[in-house]
Amino acid sequence: RILVLKTGARPAGVDTPGGSSGRSAAAVENLSAVAARPDTSSASSGTIAGSTTQSDHAFGAPVALSCPQSNVVSETNDGSIYPETARLAALSIAALARQIHDSNPVFRRECIRELAHRKELSVEEDLIRALEDPDSTVKCAAVQALGEIGDGAAVKPILDTMDACRKLPDGYGPVVIRECVRTLGRIGDQSAVHALLAELNRPNNLSLYNDVCLSLAEIGDSAALKPIEDHIVRLMEHEPAESIAYVPWQEAVNAAKVAMETIRLFGGRT
């Protein structure tokens, strides 16, 4: 994911849910300097019926995903799409919203993903309820869908989901939290700034710190400048000596510096 301001212009070919006000070429150049953030949707993406292991888990450790037998899944081992999944595109928005409560978590997730493509505000309440789904992959899909809609009313439910996921016993808590952090930046509502800044003071993975900084840059609130600067100071005080740890540390420093530069150039809101 490339860092973009909520009111800014995205690079060509990147869709902006909330529209754009036409940022300058300099803004686009500055934002494109940030490497695309690794996609955590694979942690919530699915899989074929049965059990599989994901080796590209966002935090390194493989995670086993179990799904009941189902004909409605994202894709098969060879990458082909099952017809049942393709037919979701033909369903009405109301029909998809009803299916969010299906007994099969894979089907629930795929219906939510289809709703995300529609970007329909009328299903926002259904998606907010889906944040309480017992299946963590469904939670991630609901968070992503709310980000596609981009309405500020979803900020508080997403923050509540972050807090609830800190206690998840299945290993997916950090994955859902990271998706929430990214989505808060995508929505771009200033009401999320305080909670995002609090994440910088929690003992988190460096990758999550990166996403927090980039989401704060997307929101563009100048109140984040001093906390991000303090975050950089803490990072600099703990520069690792081991080469294997240096790369992620340097990425964290770079992400924080780009966030500060972006807020200074194109933010300024208080």
Side-chain angles (χ1 to χ4, degrees), residues 45-108:
S45 72
T47 37
I48 59 170
S51 180
T52 185
T53 298
Q54 296 211 313
S55 59
D56 57 347
H57 181 256
F59 290 81
V63 176
L65 301 182
S66 296
C67 301
Q69 293 295 321
S70 171
N71 288 326
V72 185
V73 296
S74 295
E75 56 186 37
T76 62
N77 276 327
D78 62 3
S80 61
I81 303 296
Y82 274 125
E84 287 81 356
T85 303
R87 292 192 189 109
L88 292 178
L91 294 180
S92 68
I93 289 174
L96 286 167
R98 288 194 299 271
Q99 298 304 322
I100 290 178
H101 310 291
D102 188 84
S103 61
N104 188 321
V106 179
F107 189 52
R108 296 199 300 272

Side-chain angles (χ1 to χ4, degrees), residues 132-197:
E132 300 177 3
D133 196 284
D135 186 275
S136 295
T137 67
V138 177
K139 288 182 190 290
C140 275
V143 171
Q144 292 167 345
L146 288 167
E148 290 299 318
I149 292 174
D151 182 42
V155 169
K156 186 179 184 306
I158 290 173
L159 293 176
D160 292 342
T161 298
M162 288 177 63
D163 289 336
C165 286
R166 299 186 201 282
K167 304 174 184 178
L168 283 182
D170 61 2
Y172 264 117
V175 179
V176 179
I177 289 172
R178 190 175 184 186
E179 196 57 56
C180 288
V181 166
R182 291 180 167 201
T183 293
L184 291 171
R186 195 173 300 126
I187 292 174
D189 194 283
Q190 289 176 275
S191 62
V193 169
H194 179 74
L196 287 172
L197 290 176

